[in-house]
Amino acid sequence: MTFSASTDGSTATITVTVLNSTANLKVEDATDLGDQLETLVNDQTAHPIDNSPAYMAYPTDTGVRITNRLGQIDIPWRWIMPVANQLRQ
């Protein structure tokens, strides 16, 4: 399993690849998402990030879940900082 992320303006795309299958989630109004993910890594008791109606991000037992009207993606703890850093580039 690998994760990658990119931005186009204020829209982030987070992609997960498992074997030969790839899925992605486009997240609008995500200019601060990289910093918000880092906050959730550093403080797992932090309040969920509610950037309604664009998205919500909150910690789970295994990482962080990002949800929006298009779906959701779960990012395991070990992948959050690489994704956050890619979103800030």
Side-chain angles (χ1 to χ4, degrees), residues 13-60:
T13 302
I14 301 170
T15 304
V16 59
T17 303
V18 180
L19 299 175
N20 293 330
S21 177
T22 299
N24 64 54
L25 180 67
K26 290 198 180 292
V27 182
E28 297 176 357
D29 296 328
T31 53
D32 295 327
L33 184 55
D35 293 335
Q36 292 167 340
L37 289 174
E38 183 174 1
T39 297
L40 292 172
V41 165
N42 291 330
D43 182 4
Q44 296 169 16
T45 63
H47 294 289
I49 308 298
D50 187 355
N51 191 19
S52 295
Y55 65 90
M56 284 189 66
Y58 52 91
T60 66

Side-chain angles (χ1 to χ4, degrees), residues 59-65 74-78 80:
T60 66
D61 290 340
T62 59
V64 170
R65 176 172 289 164
D74 291 324
I75 306 172
W77 290 117
R78 69 183 216 118
I80 296 170

